[in-house]
Amino acid sequence: MVKVLAQREKQVFRKGEDTFNIGCERNSVAGSVSQRACVFCGSRVVLYPIADALHLIHGPIGCAAYTWDIRGALSSGPKLHRLSFSTDIQEKNVIYGGEKKLYNSLIELIDIYHPKAAFVYATCIVGIIGDDVDAVCKRVAGEKGIPVLPVHSEGFKGTKKDGYRAACEALLKIIGREATDKVPEFSINILGDFNIAGETWVIRDYYRRMGVEVVSVMTGDGRVADIGRSHGASLNVIQCSGSMMYLAKKMKEKYGIPYIRVSYFGIEDTSEALFAVARFFNDTEILERTGLLVESEVERVNRQIQRYRKKLKGRKATIYVGGAFKAFSLIKALHLLGMEVAVVGSQTGNIDDYTRLKDMCLPGTIILDDSNPVELANFSLEKEVDLFIGGVKERPLAYKLGIGFCDHNHERKQILAGYEGMVNFAKEVYSSVMSPVWRFSPRKTGRMANDIG
Amino acid sequence: MLLRHTPSEIKERNALTINPAKTCQPIGAMYAALGIHGCLPHSHGSQGCCAYHRSTLTRHFKEPVMAATSSFTEGASVFGGQANLLQAINNMFTVYTPEVIAVHTTCLSETIGDDINQIIRKAYEDGKVPEGKHVIHCNTPSYVGSHVTGYANMVAGMVKYFSESTGRYRDQINIIPGWIEPSDMREIKRIAKEMGVKIILFPDTSDVLDAPQKGKHMFYPEGGVTIPDLRSTGDSKLTIALGPFGTESAAALLDTKCKVKYELLDLPIGISATDRFISGLSRAACVEVPVSITAERGRAVDIITDMQQYFYNKKVALFGDPDQLMALTEFLVDLEMKPIHIISGTPGKQFVPRIRNILKDKVPNANVRNGANADLFLLHQLIKNEPVDLLVGNTYGKYIARDEDIPFVRMGFPILDRIGHSYFPTVGYSGAMRLLETILSALMDRQDRDAPEESFELVM
């Protein structure tokens, strides 16, 4: 039996064996090797794809260095977001305050790059030394005539989710700045897609084919001006609900824009997303175009994944993701490939998420909240999984065990969204699970590297 | 053009860092701590720090990296992190059963003023540290120095907590490597073995961050310096410290604490620096340099001789960590190359004079900068003003290399887009051979690519 920290026992659930009472939305236990990040990380990942804005990180160098272009959020135009800007706080700033340095940095940056807006991320230390970031931002905005927005993302002030919220607060200050008279009736905003590997472009293209205009994407391949007029759209379509639900709710309150929650992962969910948007507009032509699009794409995808499905049938997987919503889609997509999910967990799921996960899974499935490498490795071995779906820290863990891997996080290198994403996903899962390298792997051969012969 | 916005006119900036050539202290402490066997590094701060360090190390080494965090909340930031750290120590020993917990601080815990010495003392008093287990620490405020400073601080922490002088003489030499790869640490051990010298290498990340696939999760991989070995460093004959930025503080502390003298050398990168290392080691241990090592040197020198025309007068831009840059600059000058732009984000007064001393009249007008605002934005501007034939640095150099169309050799930390660094050394004579090969390949591939058809050559 896998050993679990006493304080974490409630965050591990075996379907069919335990009564369902999973603990979640708790702070991590101090001393655990948690896979979670911080408030700043949440803000940074959400805002960073806005490509024509400055992203200045106010703090010591690390926060800027570790988040420098690590997420493949692509831009079709300006690429300011791929640079790393820091006030590089030094000891004397900690003692005497960093406001002057922040002011000078902003002025220098704006003079060099002429951005459309600037985001200023306050990191842990700024919260402690008490710099008045809001006042500096306001002053620079006045002097330079662009929006300069503080993002209160001190790492210790909660979890990644609080960082999402701080990012949404900043976005809300941009929304409404531009005129909306040119925005057509059949128009939406895409919320919670970050254009990793170019996924936004794929999704935008579906809407184009349906006859629905995308006013803004928050934030994949994002532009300040588009976000500024996003309040003119008729509907908000949210993907990564963990990061953007707050924004959608606020936009509904303030501008009366309704929202729907969708996923573009897997053919089932992608089709449902597109139909949901079409149904919302209830326009015969849009509905018809959507029907045709879905029909042809689904047929194509089903044909293309056949050969993978044959080989993958009955194989087992572990899923460990940031937000639980993504896990729902992944489970469906794996089922489509004939695979079973044996272990599934998330960093930040809530009770509704875990209830839904429980209902989707087979008896015996292990469900985890805020897990750690020991649990993930041991449960994966116990369940003899063939595939691990996770992020950067999980990849080498899986490989060391001799388990195939698919990155469904920042480091995906191919489009995994939409219909072509499903084909890519099938291909990637197949190539890793069926890789000939496992013939040499100790896990499969029962042989250590040092007893060859 | 990713960096299309970089203007060529250089203006003094007084505040801003753009595209840093350094990162913060804690990750260096984490890396060093992973070089102790059975050690769980612990980040005393917000959860994000630990996650970022683990992710960055994982991207660089393609290995799992285990480390824990105090998971600071708003409460801890107001009332201090003592409760978190005590609970963390208790939890780690209960669940992850490390031999050692190596605590490092962060900007947050430093600024609120947690006294780690006192908290560790309390952990022992409260019985939270099991018999025979250890908790060590170092202070790594992120707003001072760089990742190299953090590495140096944790290595000094090892001396502070473990080295002891028993009065019993040991026929062994301590070797403290600066921040180098597991492959380099393995190579130093191989060289010492080849020479028949017993050494204690600390830290030692070989077999930790280049571990073989075993089909199970090795929470503590097989490598790392052991506690008994670390203790024994106080009885050694001499310490050889490789790279002043990464190692001098630890070597000096060992001298003060246990009266073990030290010899401070450069990282053994290139022929001259390796010569000094080999002769230093042979002198210290009173052994002859074996024929096998001399032969390695001969092969490296032979490559240089064979290919000298390809190195001659080539202009190079370098960036990275000071210990590497000092040795590498000397190597490039030995190859008759011209390092004309040299940048390190790590502050430290000895860097510029030392590099100038190496360059002397060979490259008198080189641009050498470190510390504040010595970043890749500046390096790019320098290159725009005076172009180079080769760029050497970590992965982040690839933007400049692409925009300016310059051959690029990856060396330093982090390398996020290639493998090799953790498996093939750059230290020693065989490391020099690898460097020669990578530099030559970069230059000659470029020559092949750009040669007009009529002068495209088969034999080079």
mmCIF file of all heavy atoms in Angstrom, chain A residues 5 28-31 33-35 41 66 68-69 84 86 88-89 108 124 156 400 411 441, chain B residues 14 17 19 22-23 46-47 52 54 59 63 69 77 91 95-96 211 213 215 396 399:
data_model
loop_
_atom_site.group_PDB
_atom_site.id
_atom_site.type_symbol
_atom_site.label_atom_id
_atom_site.label_comp_id
_atom_site.label_asym_id
_atom_site.label_seq_id
_atom_site.Cartn_x
_atom_site.Cartn_y
_atom_site.Cartn_z
ATOM 1 N N LEU A 5 0.981 10.880 3.463
ATOM 2 C CA LEU A 5 1.065 11.744 4.646
ATOM 3 C C LEU A 5 -0.256 11.725 5.416
ATOM 4 O O LEU A 5 -1.321 11.825 4.805
ATOM 5 C CB LEU A 5 1.295 13.198 4.211
ATOM 6 C CG LEU A 5 2.688 13.752 4.096
ATOM 7 C CD1 LEU A 5 2.616 15.125 3.446
ATOM 8 C CD2 LEU A 5 3.374 13.852 5.426
ATOM 9 N N SER A 28 -1.340 23.546 0.925
ATOM 10 C CA SER A 28 -0.481 22.372 0.961
ATOM 11 C C SER A 28 0.125 22.242 2.348
ATOM 12 O O SER A 28 0.383 23.228 3.022
ATOM 13 C CB SER A 28 0.645 22.508 -0.053
ATOM 14 O OG SER A 28 0.114 22.624 -1.334
ATOM 15 N N VAL A 29 0.381 21.004 2.734
ATOM 16 C CA VAL A 29 1.030 20.751 4.005
ATOM 17 C C VAL A 29 2.493 21.196 3.890
ATOM 18 O O VAL A 29 3.172 20.855 2.932
ATOM 19 C CB VAL A 29 0.973 19.236 4.291
ATOM 20 C CG1 VAL A 29 1.682 18.919 5.587
ATOM 21 C CG2 VAL A 29 -0.467 18.762 4.314
ATOM 22 N N ALA A 30 2.973 21.966 4.882
ATOM 23 C CA ALA A 30 4.375 22.387 4.841
ATOM 24 C C ALA A 30 5.261 21.150 4.877
ATOM 25 O O ALA A 30 5.016 20.219 5.637
ATOM 26 C CB ALA A 30 4.684 23.295 6.029
ATOM 27 N N GLY A 31 6.273 21.146 4.028
ATOM 28 C CA GLY A 31 7.175 20.014 3.999
ATOM 29 C C GLY A 31 6.802 18.969 2.970
ATOM 30 O O GLY A 31 7.509 18.016 2.759
ATOM 31 N N VAL A 33 6.364 17.641 -0.887
ATOM 32 C CA VAL A 33 6.951 17.939 -2.188
ATOM 33 C C VAL A 33 5.780 18.162 -3.145
ATOM 34 O O VAL A 33 5.452 17.327 -3.959
ATOM 35 C CB VAL A 33 7.872 16.795 -2.647
ATOM 36 C CG1 VAL A 33 8.507 17.104 -4.001
ATOM 37 C CG2 VAL A 33 8.968 16.560 -1.614
ATOM 38 N N SER A 34 5.130 19.288 -2.976
ATOM 39 C CA SER A 34 3.917 19.583 -3.746
ATOM 40 C C SER A 34 4.285 19.954 -5.171
ATOM 41 O O SER A 34 5.355 20.473 -5.425
ATOM 42 C CB SER A 34 3.175 20.742 -3.086
ATOM 43 O OG SER A 34 2.143 21.204 -3.929
ATOM 44 N N GLN A 35 3.381 19.689 -6.109
ATOM 45 C CA GLN A 35 3.626 20.079 -7.496
ATOM 46 C C GLN A 35 3.015 21.463 -7.771
ATOM 47 O O GLN A 35 3.022 21.932 -8.892
ATOM 48 C CB GLN A 35 3.050 19.056 -8.477
ATOM 49 C CG GLN A 35 3.426 17.606 -8.229
ATOM 50 C CD GLN A 35 4.902 17.265 -8.401
ATOM 51 O OE1 GLN A 35 5.713 17.575 -7.525
ATOM 52 N NE2 GLN A 35 5.268 16.638 -9.492
ATOM 53 N N CYS A 41 2.662 32.890 -10.203
ATOM 54 C CA CYS A 41 2.642 31.955 -11.320
ATOM 55 C C CYS A 41 1.282 32.002 -12.020
ATOM 56 O O CYS A 41 1.199 32.034 -13.245
ATOM 57 C CB CYS A 41 2.941 30.553 -10.800
ATOM 58 S SG CYS A 41 2.865 29.303 -12.073
ATOM 59 N N TYR A 66 12.699 32.716 -14.126
ATOM 60 C CA TYR A 66 12.061 31.399 -14.249
ATOM 61 C C TYR A 66 10.841 31.406 -15.154
ATOM 62 O O TYR A 66 10.355 30.355 -15.534
ATOM 63 C CB TYR A 66 11.670 30.855 -12.871
ATOM 64 C CG TYR A 66 12.836 30.790 -11.926
ATOM 65 C CD1 TYR A 66 12.835 31.467 -10.718
ATOM 66 C CD2 TYR A 66 13.979 30.078 -12.273
ATOM 67 C CE1 TYR A 66 13.925 31.431 -9.875
ATOM 68 C CE2 TYR A 66 15.081 30.040 -11.441
ATOM 69 C CZ TYR A 66 15.050 30.732 -10.238
ATOM 70 O OH TYR A 66 16.138 30.703 -9.414
ATOM 71 N N TRP A 68 10.642 33.269 -18.011
ATOM 72 C CA TRP A 68 11.032 33.885 -19.269
ATOM 73 C C TRP A 68 10.774 32.929 -20.431
ATOM 74 O O TRP A 68 11.516 31.969 -20.622
ATOM 75 C CB TRP A 68 12.508 34.279 -19.171
ATOM 76 C CG TRP A 68 13.099 34.883 -20.406
ATOM 77 C CD1 TRP A 68 12.458 35.245 -21.554
ATOM 78 C CD2 TRP A 68 14.481 35.201 -20.613
ATOM 79 N NE1 TRP A 68 13.337 35.768 -22.457
ATOM 80 C CE2 TRP A 68 14.588 35.756 -21.901
ATOM 81 C CE3 TRP A 68 15.620 35.077 -19.823
ATOM 82 C CZ2 TRP A 68 15.816 36.164 -22.433
ATOM 83 C CZ3 TRP A 68 16.833 35.488 -20.351
ATOM 84 C CH2 TRP A 68 16.923 36.033 -21.642
ATOM 85 N N ASP A 69 9.710 33.186 -21.131
ATOM 86 C CA ASP A 69 9.395 32.459 -22.364
ATOM 87 C C ASP A 69 9.344 30.943 -22.196
ATOM 88 O O ASP A 69 9.670 30.203 -23.124
ATOM 89 C CB ASP A 69 10.406 32.814 -23.465
ATOM 90 C CG ASP A 69 9.793 32.625 -24.865
ATOM 91 O OD1 ASP A 69 8.566 32.600 -24.981
ATOM 92 O OD2 ASP A 69 10.564 32.504 -25.835
ATOM 93 N N SER A 84 12.091 39.207 -21.095
ATOM 94 C CA SER A 84 11.997 39.148 -19.639
ATOM 95 C C SER A 84 12.419 40.482 -19.043
ATOM 96 O O SER A 84 13.542 40.933 -19.257
ATOM 97 C CB SER A 84 12.914 38.033 -19.134
ATOM 98 O OG SER A 84 12.938 38.021 -17.736
ATOM 99 N N SER A 86 12.686 42.857 -15.566
ATOM 100 C CA SER A 86 12.680 42.791 -14.108
ATOM 101 C C SER A 86 13.259 44.058 -13.503
ATOM 102 O O SER A 86 14.164 44.666 -14.069
ATOM 103 C CB SER A 86 13.522 41.589 -13.655
ATOM 104 O OG SER A 86 13.701 41.619 -12.255
ATOM 105 N N ASP A 88 14.775 43.696 -10.794
ATOM 106 C CA ASP A 88 15.962 43.105 -10.179
ATOM 107 C C ASP A 88 16.251 43.763 -8.818
ATOM 108 O O ASP A 88 17.306 44.349 -8.599
ATOM 109 C CB ASP A 88 17.159 43.262 -11.127
ATOM 110 C CG ASP A 88 18.360 42.436 -10.683
ATOM 111 O OD1 ASP A 88 18.220 41.640 -9.746
ATOM 112 O OD2 ASP A 88 19.442 42.614 -11.287
ATOM 113 N N ILE A 89 15.306 43.648 -7.924
ATOM 114 C CA ILE A 89 15.394 44.266 -6.586
ATOM 115 C C ILE A 89 16.673 43.845 -5.865
ATOM 116 O O ILE A 89 17.011 42.665 -5.839
ATOM 117 C CB ILE A 89 14.151 43.837 -5.765
ATOM 118 C CG1 ILE A 89 12.903 44.552 -6.261
ATOM 119 C CG2 ILE A 89 14.343 44.047 -4.281
ATOM 120 C CD1 ILE A 89 12.820 45.986 -5.872
ATOM 121 N N GLU A 108 11.976 53.710 -18.532
ATOM 122 C CA GLU A 108 12.998 53.223 -19.470
ATOM 123 C C GLU A 108 12.414 52.245 -20.474
ATOM 124 O O GLU A 108 12.648 52.326 -21.675
ATOM 125 C CB GLU A 108 14.141 52.539 -18.695
ATOM 126 C CG GLU A 108 15.054 53.529 -17.978
ATOM 127 C CD GLU A 108 16.156 52.857 -17.149
ATOM 128 O OE1 GLU A 108 16.185 51.611 -17.056
ATOM 129 O OE2 GLU A 108 16.982 53.573 -16.593
ATOM 130 N N CYS A 124 6.352 38.510 -4.017
ATOM 131 C CA CYS A 124 6.323 38.367 -2.541
ATOM 132 C C CYS A 124 6.865 39.583 -1.805
ATOM 133 O O CYS A 124 6.224 40.178 -0.956
ATOM 134 C CB CYS A 124 7.204 37.191 -2.107
ATOM 135 S SG CYS A 124 6.494 35.588 -2.389
ATOM 136 N N PHE A 156 2.759 34.551 -1.668
ATOM 137 C CA PHE A 156 2.260 33.905 -0.456
ATOM 138 C C PHE A 156 0.787 34.201 -0.195
ATOM 139 O O PHE A 156 0.191 33.656 0.709
ATOM 140 C CB PHE A 156 3.094 34.348 0.755
ATOM 141 C CG PHE A 156 3.090 35.848 0.963
ATOM 142 C CD1 PHE A 156 2.083 36.448 1.694
ATOM 143 C CD2 PHE A 156 4.093 36.643 0.402
ATOM 144 C CE1 PHE A 156 2.073 37.835 1.871
ATOM 145 C CE2 PHE A 156 4.082 38.015 0.570
ATOM 146 C CZ PHE A 156 3.067 38.626 1.309
ATOM 147 N N LYS A 400 11.401 7.786 -15.863
ATOM 148 C CA LYS A 400 12.256 6.970 -14.996
ATOM 149 C C LYS A 400 11.570 5.657 -14.612
ATOM 150 O O LYS A 400 12.219 4.651 -14.371
ATOM 151 C CB LYS A 400 12.627 7.743 -13.719
ATOM 152 C CG LYS A 400 13.799 8.712 -13.905
ATOM 153 C CD LYS A 400 15.132 7.982 -13.924
ATOM 154 C CE LYS A 400 16.308 8.937 -13.964
ATOM 155 N NZ LYS A 400 16.505 9.585 -15.262
ATOM 156 N N GLU A 411 4.265 22.701 -21.922
ATOM 157 C CA GLU A 411 5.314 22.265 -22.835
ATOM 158 C C GLU A 411 4.831 21.355 -23.940
ATOM 159 O O GLU A 411 5.613 20.632 -24.529
ATOM 160 C CB GLU A 411 6.465 21.658 -22.038
ATOM 161 C CG GLU A 411 7.186 22.784 -21.346
ATOM 162 C CD GLU A 411 8.401 22.365 -20.545
ATOM 163 O OE1 GLU A 411 8.917 21.276 -20.755
ATOM 164 O OE2 GLU A 411 8.816 23.175 -19.707
ATOM 165 N N SER A 441 13.556 -1.136 -21.218
ATOM 166 C CA SER A 441 13.280 -0.520 -19.925
ATOM 167 C C SER A 441 13.229 -1.568 -18.819
ATOM 168 O O SER A 441 12.600 -2.605 -18.966
ATOM 169 C CB SER A 441 11.944 0.212 -20.040
ATOM 170 O OG SER A 441 11.479 0.529 -18.775
ATOM 171 N N ASN B 14 19.423 52.845 -15.566
ATOM 172 C CA ASN B 14 19.750 52.871 -14.145
ATOM 173 C C ASN B 14 18.882 51.972 -13.289
ATOM 174 O O ASN B 14 19.090 51.835 -12.097
ATOM 175 C CB ASN B 14 19.781 54.304 -13.592
ATOM 176 C CG ASN B 14 18.434 54.978 -13.731
ATOM 177 O OD1 ASN B 14 17.411 54.326 -13.615
ATOM 178 N ND2 ASN B 14 18.435 56.272 -14.002
ATOM 179 N N THR B 17 16.398 45.571 -15.722
ATOM 180 C CA THR B 17 17.096 44.429 -16.300
ATOM 181 C C THR B 17 16.229 43.818 -17.399
ATOM 182 O O THR B 17 15.051 43.553 -17.180
ATOM 183 C CB THR B 17 17.389 43.374 -15.219
ATOM 184 O OG1 THR B 17 18.278 43.948 -14.262
ATOM 185 C CG2 THR B 17 18.033 42.137 -15.816
ATOM 186 N N ASN B 19 16.115 40.644 -20.036
ATOM 187 C CA ASN B 19 16.681 39.351 -20.404
ATOM 188 C C ASN B 19 17.943 39.050 -19.587
ATOM 189 O O ASN B 19 19.072 39.150 -20.069
ATOM 190 C CB ASN B 19 16.973 39.299 -21.910
ATOM 191 C CG ASN B 19 15.707 39.480 -22.732
ATOM 192 O OD1 ASN B 19 14.606 39.378 -22.203
ATOM 193 N ND2 ASN B 19 15.871 39.749 -24.005
ATOM 194 N N LYS B 22 21.452 35.871 -15.349
ATOM 195 C CA LYS B 22 21.597 35.269 -14.022
ATOM 196 C C LYS B 22 20.196 34.904 -13.543
ATOM 197 O O LYS B 22 19.202 35.291 -14.135
ATOM 198 C CB LYS B 22 22.194 36.278 -13.036
ATOM 199 C CG LYS B 22 21.284 37.489 -12.790
ATOM 200 C CD LYS B 22 21.717 38.336 -11.616
ATOM 201 C CE LYS B 22 20.795 39.545 -11.471
ATOM 202 N NZ LYS B 22 21.146 40.425 -10.386
ATOM 203 N N THR B 23 20.137 34.147 -12.433
ATOM 204 C CA THR B 23 18.866 34.030 -11.740
ATOM 205 C C THR B 23 19.145 34.133 -10.243
ATOM 206 O O THR B 23 20.229 34.577 -9.857
ATOM 207 C CB THR B 23 18.079 32.774 -12.171
ATOM 208 O OG1 THR B 23 16.830 32.747 -11.474
ATOM 209 C CG2 THR B 23 18.838 31.489 -11.908
ATOM 210 N N SER B 46 7.509 30.887 -0.230
ATOM 211 C CA SER B 46 6.257 30.571 -0.911
ATOM 212 C C SER B 46 6.429 29.315 -1.750
ATOM 213 O O SER B 46 7.528 28.946 -2.125
ATOM 214 C CB SER B 46 5.867 31.703 -1.856
ATOM 215 O OG SER B 46 5.587 32.863 -1.147
ATOM 216 N N GLN B 47 5.293 28.728 -2.065
ATOM 217 C CA GLN B 47 5.308 27.493 -2.837
ATOM 218 C C GLN B 47 5.898 27.659 -4.235
ATOM 219 O O GLN B 47 6.541 26.764 -4.766
ATOM 220 C CB GLN B 47 3.863 27.032 -2.988
ATOM 221 C CG GLN B 47 3.679 25.593 -2.717
ATOM 222 C CD GLN B 47 2.223 25.265 -2.452
ATOM 223 O OE1 GLN B 47 1.308 25.953 -2.893
ATOM 224 N NE2 GLN B 47 2.011 24.203 -1.747
ATOM 225 N N TYR B 52 9.233 26.609 -9.168
ATOM 226 C CA TYR B 52 10.036 27.159 -10.269
ATOM 227 C C TYR B 52 11.426 26.546 -10.307
ATOM 228 O O TYR B 52 11.962 26.247 -11.370
ATOM 229 C CB TYR B 52 10.162 28.675 -10.131
ATOM 230 C CG TYR B 52 8.940 29.425 -10.614
ATOM 231 C CD1 TYR B 52 8.426 30.493 -9.899
ATOM 232 C CD2 TYR B 52 8.324 29.076 -11.811
ATOM 233 C CE1 TYR B 52 7.308 31.188 -10.340
ATOM 234 C CE2 TYR B 52 7.210 29.758 -12.259
ATOM 235 C CZ TYR B 52 6.703 30.823 -11.524
ATOM 236 O OH TYR B 52 5.611 31.503 -11.968
ATOM 237 N N ARG B 54 12.402 23.644 -9.113
ATOM 238 C CA ARG B 54 12.319 22.242 -9.542
ATOM 239 C C ARG B 54 12.068 22.160 -11.038
ATOM 240 O O ARG B 54 12.675 21.351 -11.732
ATOM 241 C CB ARG B 54 11.211 21.527 -8.774
ATOM 242 C CG ARG B 54 11.565 21.297 -7.307
ATOM 243 C CD ARG B 54 10.421 20.660 -6.554
ATOM 244 N NE ARG B 54 10.052 19.370 -7.099
ATOM 245 C CZ ARG B 54 8.805 18.875 -7.089
ATOM 246 N NH1 ARG B 54 7.822 19.578 -6.564
ATOM 247 N NH2 ARG B 54 8.555 17.694 -7.596
ATOM 248 N N ARG B 59 13.970 20.930 -16.383
ATOM 249 C CA ARG B 59 14.124 21.233 -17.806
ATOM 250 C C ARG B 59 15.581 21.125 -18.229
ATOM 251 O O ARG B 59 15.890 20.712 -19.337
ATOM 252 C CB ARG B 59 13.614 22.640 -18.115
ATOM 253 C CG ARG B 59 12.121 22.773 -18.045
ATOM 254 C CD ARG B 59 11.662 24.145 -18.544
ATOM 255 N NE ARG B 59 10.213 24.236 -18.440
ATOM 256 C CZ ARG B 59 9.575 24.897 -17.477
ATOM 257 N NH1 ARG B 59 10.255 25.548 -16.563
ATOM 258 N NH2 ARG B 59 8.271 24.922 -17.447
ATOM 259 N N GLU B 63 15.523 15.394 -15.520
ATOM 260 C CA GLU B 63 15.495 14.458 -14.400
ATOM 261 C C GLU B 63 14.445 14.917 -13.395
ATOM 262 O O GLU B 63 14.184 16.119 -13.285
ATOM 263 C CB GLU B 63 16.852 14.453 -13.672
ATOM 264 C CG GLU B 63 18.002 13.851 -14.456
ATOM 265 C CD GLU B 63 17.923 12.343 -14.560
ATOM 266 O OE1 GLU B 63 17.711 11.673 -13.541
ATOM 267 O OE2 GLU B 63 18.072 11.828 -15.682
ATOM 268 N N THR B 69 8.829 22.473 0.345
ATOM 269 C CA THR B 69 8.645 23.909 0.580
ATOM 270 C C THR B 69 7.886 24.148 1.888
ATOM 271 O O THR B 69 7.107 23.309 2.323
ATOM 272 C CB THR B 69 7.884 24.572 -0.590
ATOM 273 O OG1 THR B 69 7.379 25.841 -0.156
ATOM 274 C CG2 THR B 69 6.714 23.729 -1.060
ATOM 275 N N SER B 77 3.658 34.996 6.720
ATOM 276 C CA SER B 77 4.395 36.197 6.358
ATOM 277 C C SER B 77 4.232 37.296 7.398
ATOM 278 O O SER B 77 5.042 38.198 7.502
ATOM 279 C CB SER B 77 3.928 36.717 5.000
ATOM 280 O OG SER B 77 3.932 35.667 4.091
ATOM 281 N N ASN B 91 7.295 16.686 9.036
ATOM 282 C CA ASN B 91 6.666 15.947 7.934
ATOM 283 C C ASN B 91 7.678 15.285 7.021
ATOM 284 O O ASN B 91 7.509 14.159 6.600
ATOM 285 C CB ASN B 91 5.789 16.896 7.103
ATOM 286 C CG ASN B 91 4.454 17.149 7.772
ATOM 287 O OD1 ASN B 91 3.992 16.332 8.555
ATOM 288 N ND2 ASN B 91 3.862 18.290 7.485
ATOM 289 N N VAL B 95 7.729 11.271 6.326
ATOM 290 C CA VAL B 95 7.258 10.671 5.086
ATOM 291 C C VAL B 95 8.381 10.390 4.090
ATOM 292 O O VAL B 95 8.404 9.343 3.458
ATOM 293 C CB VAL B 95 6.213 11.582 4.417
ATOM 294 C CG1 VAL B 95 5.699 10.951 3.136
ATOM 295 C CG2 VAL B 95 5.073 11.826 5.360
ATOM 296 N N TYR B 96 9.315 11.328 3.954
ATOM 297 C CA TYR B 96 10.320 11.171 2.894
ATOM 298 C C TYR B 96 11.644 10.621 3.426
ATOM 299 O O TYR B 96 12.563 10.373 2.653
ATOM 300 C CB TYR B 96 10.549 12.504 2.189
ATOM 301 C CG TYR B 96 9.292 13.123 1.618
ATOM 302 C CD1 TYR B 96 8.830 14.363 2.044
ATOM 303 C CD2 TYR B 96 8.553 12.451 0.635
ATOM 304 C CE1 TYR B 96 7.670 14.931 1.523
ATOM 305 C CE2 TYR B 96 7.399 13.004 0.108
ATOM 306 C CZ TYR B 96 6.965 14.248 0.550
ATOM 307 O OH TYR B 96 5.824 14.797 0.031
ATOM 308 N N ALA B 211 20.862 10.173 -13.498
ATOM 309 C CA ALA B 211 20.624 8.803 -13.019
ATOM 310 C C ALA B 211 20.084 7.908 -14.129
ATOM 311 O O ALA B 211 19.351 8.360 -15.001
ATOM 312 C CB ALA B 211 19.644 8.842 -11.848
ATOM 313 N N GLN B 213 17.792 4.887 -15.861
ATOM 314 C CA GLN B 213 16.411 4.448 -15.694
ATOM 315 C C GLN B 213 16.394 3.120 -14.930
ATOM 316 O O GLN B 213 17.122 2.201 -15.286
ATOM 317 C CB GLN B 213 15.759 4.258 -17.060
ATOM 318 C CG GLN B 213 14.260 4.050 -16.949
ATOM 319 C CD GLN B 213 13.587 3.845 -18.302
ATOM 320 O OE1 GLN B 213 12.990 2.824 -18.566
ATOM 321 N NE2 GLN B 213 13.701 4.844 -19.168
ATOM 322 N N GLY B 215 13.220 1.897 -13.530
ATOM 323 C CA GLY B 215 11.878 1.324 -13.473
ATOM 324 C C GLY B 215 11.173 1.593 -12.160
ATOM 325 O O GLY B 215 10.091 1.095 -11.903
ATOM 326 N N TYR B 396 19.282 30.751 -23.538
ATOM 327 C CA TYR B 396 18.682 32.052 -23.853
ATOM 328 C C TYR B 396 19.473 32.830 -24.892
ATOM 329 O O TYR B 396 18.996 33.821 -25.433
ATOM 330 C CB TYR B 396 18.469 32.867 -22.574
ATOM 331 C CG TYR B 396 17.284 32.371 -21.789
ATOM 332 C CD1 TYR B 396 17.446 31.641 -20.621
ATOM 333 C CD2 TYR B 396 15.987 32.600 -22.234
ATOM 334 C CE1 TYR B 396 16.356 31.163 -19.901
ATOM 335 C CE2 TYR B 396 14.886 32.130 -21.534
ATOM 336 C CZ TYR B 396 15.075 31.413 -20.367
ATOM 337 O OH TYR B 396 13.985 30.947 -19.679
ATOM 338 N N TYR B 399 18.022 33.368 -28.996
ATOM 339 C CA TYR B 399 17.311 34.487 -29.636
ATOM 340 C C TYR B 399 18.286 35.392 -30.387
ATOM 341 O O TYR B 399 18.039 35.801 -31.515
ATOM 342 C CB TYR B 399 16.587 35.351 -28.601
ATOM 343 C CG TYR B 399 15.615 34.634 -27.706
ATOM 344 C CD1 TYR B 399 15.791 34.629 -26.331
ATOM 345 C CD2 TYR B 399 14.509 33.989 -28.234
ATOM 346 C CE1 TYR B 399 14.885 33.993 -25.498
ATOM 347 C CE2 TYR B 399 13.602 33.347 -27.404
ATOM 348 C CZ TYR B 399 13.803 33.352 -26.032
ATOM 349 O OH TYR B 399 12.919 32.726 -25.220
#
